[in-house]
């Protein structure tokens, strides 16, 4: 069992793991850029499978958008694999209190 303060990634060779950079505390209301990297495990992600990155519906986060890099709240999804990831935002993709989510689907690979 990991201690509550242990922020080392939990690595499961079957499902993979996630890292987030930069790490550390964030001041509420601040603006920043974070990179979430998912490394697939042994079973990978099937075509039309994906990831859901859920966050609390009570927060001061803006609504992520994937269309215009020059506009606020821009998010992007890339891969090093032979596939096409598609990112979207869904305000009701998960259950309370983490209803809001970025949904990433794997297409063409």
């Amino acid at each position: 069992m990991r201690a509550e303060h242990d922020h080392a990634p939990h690595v499961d060779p079957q499902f993979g793991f996630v890292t987030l950079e930069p790490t550390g505390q964030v001041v509420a209301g601040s603006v920043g850029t974070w990179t979430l990297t998912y490394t697939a495990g042994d079973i990978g992600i099937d075509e039309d499978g994906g990831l859901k990155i859920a966050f609390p519906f009570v927060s001061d986060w803006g609504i992520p958008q994937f269309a215009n890099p020059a506009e606020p709240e821009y998010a992007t999804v890339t891969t090093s694999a032979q596939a096409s990831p598609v990112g979207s935002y869904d305000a009701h993709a998960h259950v309370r209190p983490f209803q809001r989510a970025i949904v990433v689907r794997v297409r063409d690979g």
Side-chain angles (χ1 to χ4, degrees), residues 9-18 38-45:
H10 172 74
V11 178
D12 183 323
Q14 184 177 3
F15 298 110
F17 64 95
V18 172
Y38 169 70
T39 302
D42 296 339
I43 61 174
I45 298 178

Side-chain angles (χ1 to χ4, degrees), residues 17-81:
F17 64 95
V18 172
T19 59
L20 181 66
E21 293 183 8
T23 60
Q25 296 184 355
V26 177
V27 175
S30 65
V31 176
T33 299
W34 292 268
T35 301
L36 185 144
T37 302
Y38 169 70
T39 302
D42 296 339
I43 61 174
I45 298 178
D46 289 339
E47 184 171 343
D48 206 35
L51 302 171
K52 190 185 316 180
I53 300 107
F55 46 95
F57 68 89
V58 177
S59 73
D60 62 351
W61 289 20
I63 297 173
Q65 57 91 8
F66 295 83
N68 190 344
E71 294 293 320
E73 319 306 341
Y74 178 68
T76 185
V77 180
T78 61
T79 183
S80 61

